[in-house]
Amino acid sequence: MKESVADRLSTDYKNLSERFTKQTKNFTKQYCSIYTVRLGKMRNLLKNRIKKKWGEQYPICELHKLSENDYPKCIVVGTLFKDQKLKPSVLKQLAEANSLVPQPVYTHYTDDSDTLFIEDELQRFQMIGDIDKASLVTGISCALLGRDLGQGKFEVEDYCFADFQPQIERPLLEDDMYVIFISGLDLVHFQKVSPSLQIFCSWVSGFFGNINDIDVSKIVRLVIAGNSTKIVHEKIKTTMSLTSRATELPEVIESVKLFDSLLLELAQVIEVDVMPGEHDPSNHVLPQQVMHHCMFPKSMMYKSLNQVPNPYECQIGGVRILGSSGQPVTNILGFCDIQEPIDALERCLKWSHIAPTAPDTLGCYPFYDNDPFVIENCPHVMFAGNQEKFSTKLCKGEDGQEVRLMCIPEFANTFTVGVLNLKNLNCIPVSLRIL
Amino acid sequence: MDSATEDVYLQKIEEFVYDEDKIVTFKWLSITLDISVHDSRRLLEKYVSDHRSQKPQELSVIHLLSGTDDNNQLVITLVNENELEDKSDALNKVLNKQIYSVQKSKQVDVDALSLVDYFDIHKPREVPIVGSIRGKNCIKRIFKQKKALPPPPPPTNKGKTSFFTKIPPKSSEKVDTKTKEDTVSVSNSLVTKEKSNLNIRQNNTAKPKQNGIANFFTKGADIKKVEERPKPEAAEKSEENESVTDKISEDSKTLKGRIQSLVDSDSDSEDIISPTPNVERQKSRRSIKRQKKDNRKDAPSPKRRKRIIQNDSDSDDIFGNDEKMDEVEENTIERSDEDSEPAFKPQLPLPPKNKKRKWVDRTYTDEEGFVITRKEFVEVSDSESETEKTKENEPVKQNLSKPEMKPQATTEHNKLNKSDNETSNDNKVVNGKTKGGAKNKKPIASNQQTLMSFFKRK
């Protein structure tokens, strides 16, 4: 006896990630072009901000003309550069290779001696003043109010960033509509996550019924935010032999097959967006391209499976969602004193840039005509996957923007997923750990 | 579900649990009995309640427990029956308790439990489990069938005559001015162009015609061999040269008209052909090679084959004079054992005509796969032999003309030669001049090409 399959709520969906996937494979360009493009874009975004904050009483001066025009106070627009002693440098690595003393391995690269510079296309000035350099990173475009001290130094009195961009009003939904976020499956160690994944699949399929007022039939989408195959980089042991040198661990290949089987089960019941992560079989530099469908022969048969890039932007039921698999946030945390990833995510929104440290310390494609990481339209939801723990925050902009920030934890370590309600932007964690 | 069916299913559960000692999860039961997951869960609950009333101490049950913890976090977990109460108390609010699995054994292993409903990579589930909540878009894609490739052109059984007839004849003025060599080169190019259309292998009946056509692809020395193929007679190369010329003239007249059209139609390509005659020869060699394979099969002549192989691996013959070139090509075409083609050097015309018979070590693989090294006479031109003697210390290109040799034989041979060359080079450096005297005595395998022989062609 077969019962009819119950229907899941469906809603309109739009993939807005074209700017991350549409790129020519030209790696011959210099990386400086991306900063030029970024500054050009941010300059336009900063103009409104400058006007709002300081009005028109101070002139906006270009950096290379600062010494010519002796303004008592002026506004300069440029990109921040943080000169960090401990920043990893390939030259230092080469020097270390020759030196006998092993250098300590750092995970946090901040130091008291770090200095900030403001740069534009032609000139750079060292920033002096009451500015919180510990909370800033290289690549942020900002406007500074101050004066030229001479000798390449600029005294900063005040500063401002592009801040929250205009946001399209979120539609009022009549009914609850849920989106589940999960990341860091680490299927290489499948035995560890298997029981919890079974429960997750059964729950999403509706076998447990409604739990805690979460109507499973109203879960419209599942977003897998990267690192599905593995969560740590395992170095392949180097061998002298050319024949036995393996390009990929066999466990990873098995994990991809498992992932395909898992996606098949999920795609049969719900729409799934699969993002590549730092350790997934996709390109290393941002933006990571979609994982090739040939790796998922069984699950790709279903229309409900969508391979999406990293970063990923979409519109579900009129709600704009933007996020990444966590690399930008993790990178920012390493180069400044921000402790919580949710704070770093908020700063990204204020800086109007998804990955400001790219390409300085975060691998990035050498864009030369467009910087796709600039946030031109403020999203309603911003997420970062593969974090240590689940955290969420609702932050508000000056113009009434409301953004739900979410940090999705690694499932392999926390067995936790995030459930977002599109109606009211509430977000709750769901733990599937075996007690 | 009616009671009769229910009883049947309960009986089956009893069998699974007690007879087969399985861990029965509601999901597994749903798939096995092909029923909805809600029904399977209900059946499990009924089974447990019935069984417990009779035998309270038996059976181990795993429960699914859901609730919110102190952090207001929703928790969904699996709990053993024994710990159910404790863990329910630990939660702030208990939302749901339901049976997840039933088993006979008292020891509950979560890993074994997860293996019951594992994601089988070898047997994917074609349809979702009955009772799933399914989205509208969770349907299979409709793949557009790729356009079927056009069918391959039918094999032409007419042989080489077919491509002569395809091209419409044009003015015949050009043909008269052309020499035989030009026609040969032109026809070589045509063979390469029309190669794909020829199904020469299948055509054994057109052998005489092919042989006739092959005459135009090869020079005088080879033509005779082609014609002698059906006749198992061994002939010297010099004799062949003399005897074939008559036939060449006859065949040329008959095919002149056809070649006319070819020449006219490919007038543009003629200029292209001449700078690279060797490339064309190689291509023609390859195309005819397949043809000759079949011909050779039909007319086996061990003696002939042996001679062919001998000539084949003889680098001196390959880099011999022009008259020999085509003869050698013919031999290379006729050989059958090689799977891979030798990497031919560009064949340059050789001026020397004097030939010497030289006693040379030759290593080759016979048809049974044995590597055989024999001392054989090989015809070598005077200048060639001299250069070999003087430039013996040059690195010898060993892999070119040994396609018939098996890899192990080649490597061994190479090793020997390499070691010899190394020592010889060292000597060269020390002395400043080649130790020709001592090294000349060492027999060089005649299938090896020396660098000097390569330079000599220029």
Short mmCIF file of all heavy atoms in Angstrom, two decimals, chain A residues 326-354:
data_model
loop_
_atom_site.label_atom_id
_atom_site.label_comp_id
_atom_site.label_asym_id
_atom_site.label_seq_id
_atom_site.Cartn_x
_atom_site.Cartn_y
_atom_site.Cartn_z
N GLY A 326 32.99 30.58 4.31
CA GLY A 326 33.72 30.92 5.53
C GLY A 326 35.13 31.40 5.35
O GLY A 326 35.72 31.91 6.30
N GLN A 327 35.69 31.26 4.14
CA GLN A 327 37.10 31.66 3.99
C GLN A 327 37.34 33.15 4.26
O GLN A 327 38.31 33.50 4.94
CB GLN A 327 37.62 31.31 2.58
CG GLN A 327 37.66 29.85 2.26
CD GLN A 327 36.57 29.45 1.30
OE1 GLN A 327 35.41 29.74 1.54
NE2 GLN A 327 36.94 28.78 0.23
N PRO A 328 36.48 34.06 3.75
CA PRO A 328 36.76 35.47 4.02
C PRO A 328 36.73 35.81 5.50
O PRO A 328 37.58 36.56 6.00
CB PRO A 328 35.63 36.20 3.26
CG PRO A 328 35.15 35.24 2.26
CD PRO A 328 35.33 33.89 2.85
N VAL A 329 35.77 35.24 6.21
CA VAL A 329 35.63 35.55 7.63
C VAL A 329 36.81 34.99 8.41
O VAL A 329 37.39 35.68 9.26
CB VAL A 329 34.29 34.98 8.16
CG1 VAL A 329 34.24 35.06 9.67
CG2 VAL A 329 33.13 35.73 7.56
N THR A 330 37.19 33.78 8.11
CA THR A 330 38.32 33.16 8.80
C THR A 330 39.60 33.95 8.54
O THR A 330 40.43 34.12 9.43
CB THR A 330 38.50 31.71 8.32
OG1 THR A 330 37.24 31.05 8.33
CG2 THR A 330 39.46 30.94 9.19
N ASN A 331 39.73 34.45 7.32
CA ASN A 331 40.92 35.20 6.98
C ASN A 331 40.96 36.53 7.72
O ASN A 331 42.01 36.97 8.20
CB ASN A 331 40.96 35.43 5.46
CG ASN A 331 42.34 35.82 4.98
OD1 ASN A 331 42.59 36.96 4.63
ND2 ASN A 331 43.26 34.87 4.98
N ILE A 332 39.81 37.19 7.81
CA ILE A 332 39.75 38.47 8.54
C ILE A 332 40.10 38.25 10.00
O ILE A 332 40.84 39.03 10.60
CB ILE A 332 38.35 39.09 8.39
CG1 ILE A 332 38.13 39.59 6.96
CG2 ILE A 332 38.16 40.25 9.37
CD1 ILE A 332 36.71 39.97 6.65
N LEU A 333 39.61 37.19 10.58
CA LEU A 333 39.88 36.91 11.99
C LEU A 333 41.36 36.71 12.24
O LEU A 333 41.86 37.02 13.34
CB LEU A 333 39.12 35.65 12.44
CG LEU A 333 37.60 35.76 12.51
CD1 LEU A 333 37.00 34.42 12.87
CD2 LEU A 333 37.17 36.80 13.53
N GLY A 334 42.07 36.22 11.25
CA GLY A 334 43.50 35.99 11.43
C GLY A 334 44.32 37.25 11.37
O GLY A 334 45.43 37.28 11.90
N PHE A 335 43.80 38.30 10.72
CA PHE A 335 44.62 39.48 10.51
C PHE A 335 44.14 40.70 11.29
O PHE A 335 44.58 41.82 11.01
CB PHE A 335 44.70 39.80 9.01
CG PHE A 335 45.56 38.81 8.27
CD1 PHE A 335 45.02 37.67 7.71
CD2 PHE A 335 46.93 39.00 8.17
CE1 PHE A 335 45.81 36.74 7.05
CE2 PHE A 335 47.73 38.09 7.52
CZ PHE A 335 47.18 36.96 6.96
N CYS A 336 43.22 40.50 12.20
CA CYS A 336 42.84 41.61 13.05
C CYS A 336 42.44 41.02 14.41
O CYS A 336 42.46 39.81 14.60
CB CYS A 336 41.69 42.41 12.44
SG CYS A 336 40.16 41.50 12.34
N ASP A 337 42.08 41.90 15.32
CA ASP A 337 41.78 41.44 16.68
C ASP A 337 40.31 41.18 16.91
O ASP A 337 39.87 41.11 18.06
CB ASP A 337 42.31 42.48 17.69
CG ASP A 337 43.82 42.38 17.82
OD1 ASP A 337 44.38 41.35 17.40
OD2 ASP A 337 44.43 43.33 18.34
N ILE A 338 39.55 41.08 15.87
CA ILE A 338 38.13 40.73 16.05
C ILE A 338 38.08 39.28 16.50
O ILE A 338 38.71 38.40 15.93
CB ILE A 338 37.35 40.92 14.72
CG1 ILE A 338 37.43 42.38 14.26
CG2 ILE A 338 35.90 40.50 14.89
CD1 ILE A 338 36.88 42.62 12.87
N GLN A 339 37.33 39.05 17.54
CA GLN A 339 37.32 37.72 18.15
C GLN A 339 36.23 36.83 17.58
O GLN A 339 36.44 35.64 17.39
CB GLN A 339 37.09 37.86 19.68
CG GLN A 339 38.18 38.65 20.39
CD GLN A 339 39.53 37.97 20.30
OE1 GLN A 339 39.62 36.74 20.32
NE2 GLN A 339 40.59 38.75 20.19
N GLU A 340 35.06 37.40 17.38
CA GLU A 340 33.91 36.59 17.00
C GLU A 340 33.69 36.67 15.50
O GLU A 340 33.71 37.77 14.92
CB GLU A 340 32.64 37.08 17.71
CG GLU A 340 32.70 36.90 19.22
CD GLU A 340 32.76 35.44 19.63
OE1 GLU A 340 32.08 34.60 18.97
OE2 GLU A 340 33.49 35.12 20.59
N PRO A 341 33.44 35.54 14.88
CA PRO A 341 33.18 35.57 13.45
C PRO A 341 31.92 36.36 13.09
O PRO A 341 31.83 36.94 12.01
CB PRO A 341 33.03 34.09 13.06
CG PRO A 341 32.85 33.35 14.31
CD PRO A 341 33.45 34.15 15.39
N ILE A 342 30.98 36.41 14.01
CA ILE A 342 29.75 37.15 13.71
C ILE A 342 30.06 38.65 13.63
O ILE A 342 29.47 39.39 12.83
CB ILE A 342 28.65 36.84 14.77
CG1 ILE A 342 27.28 37.20 14.22
CG2 ILE A 342 28.90 37.51 16.09
CD1 ILE A 342 26.68 36.19 13.32
N ASP A 343 31.03 39.10 14.43
CA ASP A 343 31.45 40.50 14.37
C ASP A 343 32.17 40.78 13.06
O ASP A 343 32.02 41.86 12.46
CB ASP A 343 32.36 40.84 15.56
CG ASP A 343 31.60 40.77 16.87
OD1 ASP A 343 30.37 40.96 16.86
OD2 ASP A 343 32.23 40.50 17.91
N ALA A 344 32.98 39.82 12.64
CA ALA A 344 33.70 40.00 11.37
C ALA A 344 32.71 40.08 10.23
O ALA A 344 32.87 40.87 9.29
CB ALA A 344 34.67 38.84 11.16
N LEU A 345 31.66 39.29 10.32
CA LEU A 345 30.61 39.30 9.29
C LEU A 345 29.92 40.66 9.27
O LEU A 345 29.61 41.21 8.20
CB LEU A 345 29.61 38.18 9.59
CG LEU A 345 28.83 37.60 8.43
CD1 LEU A 345 29.74 37.07 7.34
CD2 LEU A 345 27.94 36.48 8.93
N GLU A 346 29.70 41.20 10.45
CA GLU A 346 29.05 42.51 10.53
C GLU A 346 29.96 43.57 9.94
O GLU A 346 29.50 44.50 9.25
CB GLU A 346 28.72 42.83 11.98
CG GLU A 346 27.82 44.04 12.11
CD GLU A 346 27.49 44.37 13.55
OE1 GLU A 346 27.95 43.63 14.46
OE2 GLU A 346 26.78 45.36 13.76
N ARG A 347 31.25 43.46 10.20
CA ARG A 347 32.19 44.44 9.67
C ARG A 347 32.21 44.39 8.14
O ARG A 347 32.31 45.41 7.47
CB ARG A 347 33.61 44.19 10.19
CG ARG A 347 33.78 44.37 11.67
CD ARG A 347 33.54 45.80 12.11
NE ARG A 347 33.57 45.91 13.55
CZ ARG A 347 34.68 46.16 14.25
NH1 ARG A 347 35.82 46.36 13.63
NH2 ARG A 347 34.64 46.22 15.56
N CYS A 348 32.13 43.18 7.62
CA CYS A 348 32.10 43.04 6.16
C CYS A 348 30.92 43.80 5.58
O CYS A 348 31.03 44.44 4.53
CB CYS A 348 31.98 41.56 5.77
SG CYS A 348 33.51 40.64 5.99
N LEU A 349 29.84 43.74 6.28
CA LEU A 349 28.65 44.45 5.81
C LEU A 349 28.85 45.96 5.90
O LEU A 349 28.46 46.71 5.00
CB LEU A 349 27.47 44.03 6.69
CG LEU A 349 26.08 44.03 6.07
CD1 LEU A 349 26.05 43.21 4.80
CD2 LEU A 349 25.08 43.45 7.06
N LYS A 350 29.51 46.39 6.93
CA LYS A 350 29.77 47.83 7.10
C LYS A 350 30.81 48.31 6.09
O LYS A 350 30.75 49.44 5.62
CB LYS A 350 30.25 48.12 8.51
CG LYS A 350 29.15 48.03 9.52
CD LYS A 350 29.55 48.59 10.86
CE LYS A 350 28.31 48.63 11.76
NZ LYS A 350 28.63 48.78 13.17
N TRP A 351 31.79 47.44 5.79
CA TRP A 351 32.79 47.80 4.80
C TRP A 351 32.27 47.64 3.37
O TRP A 351 32.96 47.98 2.42
CB TRP A 351 34.04 46.94 4.98
CG TRP A 351 34.72 47.09 6.30
CD1 TRP A 351 34.76 48.21 7.08
CD2 TRP A 351 35.47 46.08 7.01
NE1 TRP A 351 35.48 47.97 8.23
CE2 TRP A 351 35.93 46.67 8.21
CE3 TRP A 351 35.80 44.76 6.75
CZ2 TRP A 351 36.71 45.98 9.14
CZ3 TRP A 351 36.58 44.07 7.67
CH2 TRP A 351 37.01 44.68 8.86
N SER A 352 31.06 47.08 3.27
CA SER A 352 30.42 46.82 1.96
C SER A 352 31.29 45.94 1.09
O SER A 352 31.38 46.13 -0.13
CB SER A 352 30.13 48.13 1.22
OG SER A 352 29.09 48.81 1.84
N HIS A 353 31.95 44.98 1.71
CA HIS A 353 32.80 44.10 0.93
C HIS A 353 32.79 42.72 1.56
O HIS A 353 32.96 42.58 2.77
CB HIS A 353 34.23 44.65 0.87
CG HIS A 353 34.98 44.19 -0.33
ND1 HIS A 353 35.62 42.97 -0.39
CD2 HIS A 353 35.20 44.77 -1.53
CE1 HIS A 353 36.21 42.84 -1.58
NE2 HIS A 353 35.96 43.93 -2.29
N ILE A 354 32.58 41.69 0.73
CA ILE A 354 32.48 40.33 1.24
C ILE A 354 33.85 39.83 1.70
O ILE A 354 33.98 39.18 2.73
CB ILE A 354 31.95 39.36 0.15
CG1 ILE A 354 30.60 39.83 -0.39
CG2 ILE A 354 31.81 37.95 0.71
CD1 ILE A 354 30.16 39.10 -1.63
#
